[in-house]
Amino acid sequence: MAHALSPSHLSGYDQTLDAPSYDQLVHCMRCGLCLPTCPTFALYRDEKASPRGRLALMRAVSEGRLELSQGFDNAMNLCLACLACQTACPAGVPFGSLLEHARVQAEARSKKYRSPIRRAFREWLISSLLSTPSLIDRLAPLLRQYQATGLQRLNLARLLPGPLAGWERMLPPIPSRSAQARLGEVVDGVPPIRGRVGLLTGCIENRMLSNLPVATAHLLSKNGFHVIVPPGQVCCGALPGHIGEMELARQMARRNIEVFESAKVDFVVSDAAGCSAQLKEYGHLLESDAAFAERAHHFAASARDATELLASLIPLRGTPNRTEIRVAYDEPCHLVHGQGIRDEPRRLLQSIPGLRLVELPESAWCCGSAGTYNLTHVAESEELLRRKMDNVRRVAPDVLATANTGCMMQLTRGVREARLNIRVRHVVEILAAAYV
């Protein structure tokens, strides 16, 4: 069924159907309260680099006062989609959704002008790598060998064109086995049983950060859940949706709904904030699909971030080891702004005896990862990462905690390149190490 998840099979899809909603665009009051929250406005002090400016451009296109152009594309794609503006907006403008639809418009125009190399990279990323989990499984041993031989230290990717040049610096140590291979299809819960949880292991995370979903599964199992890991699951669809491939994101959503429905679970959980946020959007994503609308809303209602579900279980089962460490928590954008989850990760960390939680300045300010942003907008991402590392240096924790896989990789690189003696860990990993 892999062909069902390929943009090459979307020739009948009319991308103009995904234009931003004019009814939502006119809710922007142009008050400017979003401006201080916007990382790209902080970098450029330019209206076109602000949420208010981007909404004005979208509205101008919608009203026919502005043609789609490279300038429109640049303004939309410069945005990190961190959603901080959405939190700040007093009118409740759904900026994230409007931006994704504007990027559909931008993609429909820009694909005609994209160089063959960039077109091939994009096609490979979204229609092959993300849509075919087995391909990542086949690539992982090669990357693991590449690391073992020491070739990664040469940073050979710098010789590659476009966004390919930056991927190597983000590459974590590749585990020998995927999360799905390590967990199997079911991890039995420890009685008394609370229910059944479906675990989204993710596309990249499953193979390249497999320790994380394994830790999540074991924590949920210890706390009374049978954990189901369906082998037919695919990428949540966040990355395609964020770059304007909305119909591909819908196809991924349909596949996951079918897979997790068959698993008969009470909750669908992800430990990556970007993924859990996307799962909760399936109802909106498929609201015009007569066959899936009701199923998608039911699925979205069952979606939980791992920190959200675990926090609802405090006190967790077992007696945690006393852990004398200072931890600073960096908030993933799609957890704090996308899902409104702010206190839960902190409460989980504070449940560990001896752990001292120190507040990180600008903890909700984007680190510059933002999906593939650190590959496509290197200069801006680097500047935001430097700002983040300056704040980390001020509080000098032993561990920098976060709750999203992309943030983990970005922050790990930042700590390494800043030569800080600080470990980067997911909140779930810290919990799992304490509740052995």
Side-chain angles (χ1 to χ4, degrees):
M1 295 178 64
H3 67 278
L5 298 178
S6 171
S8 62
H9 289 77
L10 305 180
S11 56
Y13 168 59
D14 180 6
Q15 288 177 308
T16 61
L17 296 176
D18 269 320
S21 164
Y22 186 76
D23 290 342
Q24 293 175 338
L25 286 172
V26 297
H27 287 165
C28 175
M29 302 181 295
R30 305 181 186 181
C31 64
L33 290 177
C34 60
L35 300 183
T37 73
C38 178
T40 53
F41 183 73
L43 288 175
Y44 290 104
R45 295 293 169 182
D46 183 344
E47 273 293 314
K48 294 191 298 295
S50 76
R52 181 173 66 181
R54 292 184 180 103
L55 290 170
L57 291 173
M58 293 180 210
R59 182 170 177 174
V61 168
S62 182
E63 293 174 344
R65 295 182 288 108
L66 181 70
E67 294 290 327
L68 293 172
S69 64
Q70 187 61 51
F72 180 85
D73 295 6
N74 292 343
M76 298 306 132
N77 288 315
L78 180 65
C79 180
L80 292 129
C82 70
L83 307 182
C85 59
Q86 194 165 283
T87 298
C89 179
V93 176
F95 181 84
S97 173
L98 292 168
L99 177 69
E100 287 190 347
H101 287 86
R103 285 178 173 174
V104 173
Q105 294 179 309
E107 173 59 16
R109 189 206 73 87
S110 64
K111 65 170 48 176
K112 296 181 290 186
Y113 305 102
R114 193 171 289 129
S115 72
I117 291 175
R118 287 182 178 270
R119 188 162 56 245
F121 170 75
R122 185 184 177 99
E123 178 77 9
W124 175 79
L125 173 66
I126 63 174
S127 67
S128 296
L129 189 65
L130 297 182
S131 302
T132 315
S134 60
L135 178 59
I136 301 177
D137 279 338
R138 292 195 293 271
L139 283 174
L142 299 177
L143 292 174
R144 183 174 167 83
Q145 187 64 26
Y146 178 69
Q147 292 177 328
T149 58
L151 287 173
Q152 185 177 0
R153 290 194 294 270
L154 299 178
N155 192 22
L156 297 179
R158 72 186 187 282
L159 304 175
L160 298 173
L164 289 170
W167 70 268
E168 193 175 26
R169 291 190 301 167
M170 306 301 300
L171 194 64
I174 307 299
S176 60
R177 300 172 68 205
S178 70
Q180 291 187 13
R182 293 169 63 183
L183 292 170
E185 294 187 26
V186 179
V187 179
D188 289 329
V190 176
I193 300 301
R194 286 180 159 124
R196 290 166 60 88
V197 165
L199 180 62
L200 184 85
T201 55
C203 43
I204 302 299
E205 178 183 337
N206 175 57
R207 196 59 183 82
M208 299 190 181
L209 292 165
S210 64
N211 289 340
L212 176 54
V214 168
T216 300
H218 288 160
L219 270 175
L220 290 169
S221 169
K222 183 179 295 186
N223 282 276
F225 288 100
H226 294 308
V227 180
I228 317 302
V229 189
Q233 61 179 283
V234 295
C235 170
C236 67
L239 287 178
H242 293 339
I243 62 175
E245 298 286 355
M246 193 71 74
E247 186 57 21
L248 181 59
R250 291 192 181 101
Q251 292 189 28
M252 291 174 169
R254 294 184 190 105
R255 173 74 68 83
N256 282 329
I257 289 170
E258 291 174 339
V259 166
F260 284 101
E261 277 181 347
S262 297
K264 294 180 170 43
V265 295
D266 303 302
F267 302 105
V268 180
V269 171
S270 173
D271 48 41
C275 298
S276 56
Q278 180 71 4
L279 297 179
K280 292 179 180 181
E281 289 297 314
Y282 279 9
H284 297 298
L285 191 63
L286 296 174
E287 62 187 354
S288 298
D289 185 328
F292 273 88
E294 185 176 347
R295 296 163 69 184
H297 279 289
H298 180 76
F299 180 98
S302 75
R304 298 288 188 277
D305 187 82
T307 61
E308 177 184 17
L309 182 56
L310 287 167
S312 72
L313 307 177
I314 294 174
L316 300 180
R317 291 180 183 173
T319 303
N321 294 325
R322 188 169 184 83
T323 308
E324 300 286 351
I325 55 174
R326 297 175 73 254
V327 177
Y329 171 59
D330 188 60
E331 303 181 78
C333 298
H334 278 81
L335 197 62
V336 60
H337 301 305
Q339 301 179 63
I341 296 174
R342 179 181 293 273
D343 295 332
E344 289 86 338
R346 290 179 168 87
R347 287 170 48 216
L348 288 168
L349 292 170
Q350 290 169 331
S351 74
I352 301 173
L355 186 148
R356 180 184 171 195
L357 187 62
V358 294
E359 197 59 35
L360 179 68
E362 297 185 335
S363 63
W365 192 264
C366 186
C367 67
S369 174
T372 59
Y373 194 90
N374 50 9
L375 302 180
T376 60
H377 292 78
V378 175
E380 292 84 0
S381 177
E382 294 283 347
E383 185 60 35
L384 292 170
L385 185 57
R386 279 194 291 271
R387 178 169 177 158
K388 183 67 68 176
M389 289 301 107
D390 286 344
N391 284 322
V392 172
R393 192 178 285 107
R394 288 190 183 99
V395 295
D398 302 309
V399 175
L400 178 59
T402 188
N404 186 51
T405 49
C407 300
M408 284 176 64
M409 291 190 286
Q410 174 85 337
L411 295 171
T412 298
R413 180 172 71 83
V415 165
R416 181 179 66 246
E417 294 180 358
R419 299 186 178 182
L420 301 176
N421 186 25
I422 296 170
R423 291 167 291 157
V424 177
R425 294 289 185 272
H426 194 287
V427 170
V428 167
E429 290 180 308
I430 299 171
L431 279 174
Y435 286 85
V436 292

